[in-house]
Amino acid sequence: MKRNCIFKMAIVAIAVMVSLGAYAQEESKMAAGADVGVLLRDGATNFSIGAKFQYDVTKVIRGSGEFNYFLDGGGFWDLNVNGHYLIDLPTPKLKVYPLAGLSVVGFGGGGLVEYYDPIEEIWVVEEAGGGSSTFIGFNLGGGVQYELKSNILLQGELKYRIGNGAIAGVGLSVGVAYKF
């Protein structure tokens, strides 16, 4: 009986080690990182710092969530959820991807808020005061990533945000991500 129990424990231990070894061989599916960016809209330039999280749904499809805070002093931020379609290039460490997704942009906490009023067909600039405003837009663009090391990615993205005048513009960002 005691011998049978030891044998079963040995089988379980071997099964656990084999499964952990197989898990360790599995390619990373997630990455987290930071980036810096610039948003160009109607002649204005606004710099940002941001954080992102990426998850590989399949080998070629990746979901990405990111948060950016813009340094204009008006409490301007955005939250993006994008899908990437990863395209391998002849250089094994380099990939390009088109992207599409949703963007939620918020203003608040003081400063000036600028937006286009489609009814009046004019640009409006208001003092945000203590209130806040939120807008929804769509992202279209593309990116490139270079695998610096097996778990370090350098990334650059160019995207156009489609929405009302307050949030429409072209964004360019560069950053680094750690795969885990």
Side-chain angles (χ1 to χ4, degrees), residues 99-177:
L99 68 82
L102 286 173
S103 184
V104 177
V105 178
F107 300 91
L112 297 176
V113 174
E114 176 184 18
Y115 62 93
Y116 183 75
D117 184 340
I119 296 171
E120 298 291 326
E121 298 181 349
I122 60 170
W123 283 95
V124 178
V125 178
E126 299 180 341
E127 181 70 33
S132 64
S133 301
T134 305
F135 301 95
I136 296 177
F138 299 96
N139 298 323
L140 290 176
V144 61
Q145 83 177 27
Y146 179 75
E147 189 176 285
L148 189 61
K149 293 190 174 197
S150 63
N151 59 349
I152 304 288
L153 303 173
L154 298 178
Q155 298 175 319
E157 287 185 354
L158 178 67
K159 62 185 163 193
Y160 180 69
R161 185 180 302 138
I162 302 165
N164 73 5
I167 65 170
V170 175
L172 175 65
S173 65
V174 293
V176 62

Side-chain angles (χ1 to χ4, degrees), residues 11-161:
I11 295 290
V12 169
I14 290 170
V16 168
M17 287 189 287
V18 167
S19 64
L20 287 177
Y23 180 76
Q25 299 300 319
E26 189 175 305
E27 191 173 325
S28 301
K29 289 187 160 279
M30 296 181 277
D35 58 20
V36 294
V38 62
L39 177 65
L40 307 170
R41 61 182 183 91
D42 298 324
T45 303
N46 198 340
F47 294 95
S48 68
I49 56 173
K52 68 176 113 186
F53 176 78
Q54 299 170 331
Y55 182 78
D56 294 341
V57 179
T58 69
K59 186 173 172 122
V60 295
I61 296 175
R62 175 171 65 199
S64 176
E66 60 186 59
F67 177 81
N68 297 295
Y69 183 78
F70 292 86
L71 305 175
D72 72 344
F76 175 30
W77 56 267
D78 72 5
L79 179 65
N80 299 285
V81 178
N82 296 312
H84 301 168
Y85 181 79
L86 302 170
I87 301 168
D88 287 325
L89 295 177
T91 305
K93 293 185 173 198
L94 190 62
K95 293 184 181 187
V96 295
Y97 53 91
L99 68 82
L102 286 173
S103 184
V104 177
V105 178
F107 300 91
L112 297 176
V113 174
E114 176 184 18
Y115 62 93
Y116 183 75
D117 184 340
I119 296 171
E120 298 291 326
E121 298 181 349
I122 60 170
W123 283 95
V124 178
V125 178
E126 299 180 341
E127 181 70 33
S132 64
S133 301
T134 305
F135 301 95
I136 296 177
F138 299 96
N139 298 323
L140 290 176
V144 61
Q145 83 177 27
Y146 179 75
E147 189 176 285
L148 189 61
K149 293 190 174 197
S150 63
N151 59 349
I152 304 288
L153 303 173
L154 298 178
Q155 298 175 319
E157 287 185 354
L158 178 67
K159 62 185 163 193
Y160 180 69
R161 185 180 302 138

